[in-house]
Amino acid sequence: MNKLIVGNWKMFPTLADSQVLAASLKRGLDDLKGVDVVLAPPLPWLVNVKEIWPHKVSHISLAAQNIWPEDQGAFTGEVSAYLLKDIIRYAIVGHSERRRYNQEDNDLIGQKIQACLKWRITPIVCVGEKKRVLFADGTVDSTQWRLLEEELMEALEGISKDVLEKIVVAYEPVWAVGNNNPAKPEYAVKLIERLRVRVAEKYGQTGAQALRFLYGGSVDVAEATDYLRYPDIAGLLVGTASVKAKNFLDICRQASHFH
Ligand code: PGA
């Protein structure tokens, strides 16, 4: 299966920046085989970025950085999965910045996942501990681990085993997001393995294997391959580096070697 590389542009590029960035990415990505790429521009620029790809290219898709779970109604400032369903194929839900600045909890995030699935949008569910779980001497911070596994298991509440393949989990340790301090690949893969074991307890091995895990948190060109070479890491969620066309293309090229 192709690795999945998601570019979370956050609230960085203006409309003009987004159009220039998307045009540069188009030149580098359209003919790149062996990788699936998802771009998440700021919400108001989604349609403009979509226009850069007037014809569908199967390995390039758009994502919303967030969605609202209700379909329609009096929710000023919100945009639903239903309203976006013809524009996006993915939606990031539960990003740590939304949990922090918008007080999103596991229950709301669960509702957002259900809304995505209802409208055939693949949710990219972000989970991550605030402080390190594992230490070099083998000790485990059990409080941090409990909060992390709760984020995942509560988000999956009400999800049946056969739906797990339609969900992507982005493991993003909060302490590693946006600060040039990525988690070591060995650390990330150990936490992903632990989370998968937890999922297997509820859904069995086949269910747990169907769930794809990405790593995110300060990934840039230099370390991308170090994560991607692990079969357990299905791809990367890239933030800051995703708005630099050269860096993001380099990461996508690295990923294309692992298909
Ligand atoms: P970062 O962001 O790559 O800037 O750490 C990742 C993310 O927030 O998804």
Side-chain angles (χ1 to χ4, degrees), residues 9 15 28 38 67 177 212:
W9 297 3
L15 174 57
V38 177
I67 51 105
V177 170
R212 281 180 289 168

Side-chain angles (χ1 to χ4, degrees), residues 137-158:
D137 63 1
T139 51
V140 178
D141 181 329
S142 51
T143 309
Q144 288 299 315
W145 165 248
R146 190 175 46 77
L147 291 170
L148 173 61
E149 64 158 344
E150 257 172 36
E151 283 190 357
L152 181 58
M153 299 316 289
E154 288 185 17
L156 296 180
E157 197 65 50

Side-chain angles (χ1 to χ4, degrees), residues 7-13 18 21-22 25 39-42 49 65 242-243:
N8 175 11
W9 297 3
K10 305 198 182 192
M11 203 177 70
F12 290 122
S18 294
L21 177 58
L25 294 177
L39 306 175
V49 172
Q65 294 178 17
S242 73
V243 289

Side-chain angles (χ1 to χ4, degrees), residues 65-193:
Q65 294 178 17
N66 176 42
I67 51 105
W68 188 250
E70 305 286 336
D71 287 349
Q72 288 175 297
F75 298 99
T76 303
E78 299 293 348
V79 183
S80 64
Y82 169 73
L83 294 187
L84 290 169
K85 68 182 179 357
D86 298 326
I87 302 173
I88 57 172
R89 221 180 290 163
Y90 293 81
I92 299 172
V93 299
H95 192 279
S96 58
E97 288 150 13
R98 294 204 60 85
R99 291 179 192 261
R100 178 171 176 200
Y101 300 118
N102 302 76
Q103 290 76 47
E104 291 199 4
D105 60 18
N106 294 341
D107 179 48
L108 178 64
I109 290 160
Q111 292 175 44
K112 291 183 176 195
I113 294 169
Q114 297 287 356
C116 286
L117 295 170
K118 176 176 172 192
W119 296 110
R120 294 175 191 278
I121 294 165
T122 302
I124 301 169
V125 185
C126 300
V127 300
E129 77 278 14
K130 291 199 181 64
K131 294 191 205 146
R132 270 171 194 279
V133 172
L134 303 178
F135 295 90
D137 63 1
T139 51
V140 178
D141 181 329
S142 51
T143 309
Q144 288 299 315
W145 165 248
R146 190 175 46 77
L147 291 170
L148 173 61
E149 64 158 344
E150 257 172 36
E151 283 190 357
L152 181 58
M153 299 316 289
E154 288 185 17
L156 296 180
E157 197 65 50
I159 300 281
S160 62
K161 181 179 157 188
D162 52 321
V163 177
L164 292 176
E165 64 180 17
K166 300 185 177 126
I167 296 175
V168 174
V169 177
Y171 167 62
E172 296 207 302
V174 180
W175 52 267
V177 170
N179 60 9
N180 279 324
N181 178 30
K184 294 251 178 317
E186 303 72 33
Y187 178 96
V189 89
K190 265 190 202 144
L191 263 297
I192 288 171
E193 273 167 19

Side-chain angles (χ1 to χ4, degrees), residues 1-3 5 32-35 225 228-229 249-259:
M1 191 181 235
N2 287 352
K3 297 279 187 182
I5 305 296
L32 187 63
K33 302 275 184 307
V35 59
T225 288
L228 293 166
R229 67 191 168 79
L249 285 172
D250 191 319
I251 293 168
C252 293
R253 281 189 208 105
Q254 292 182 45
S256 73
H257 297 141
F258 290 91
H259 71 106

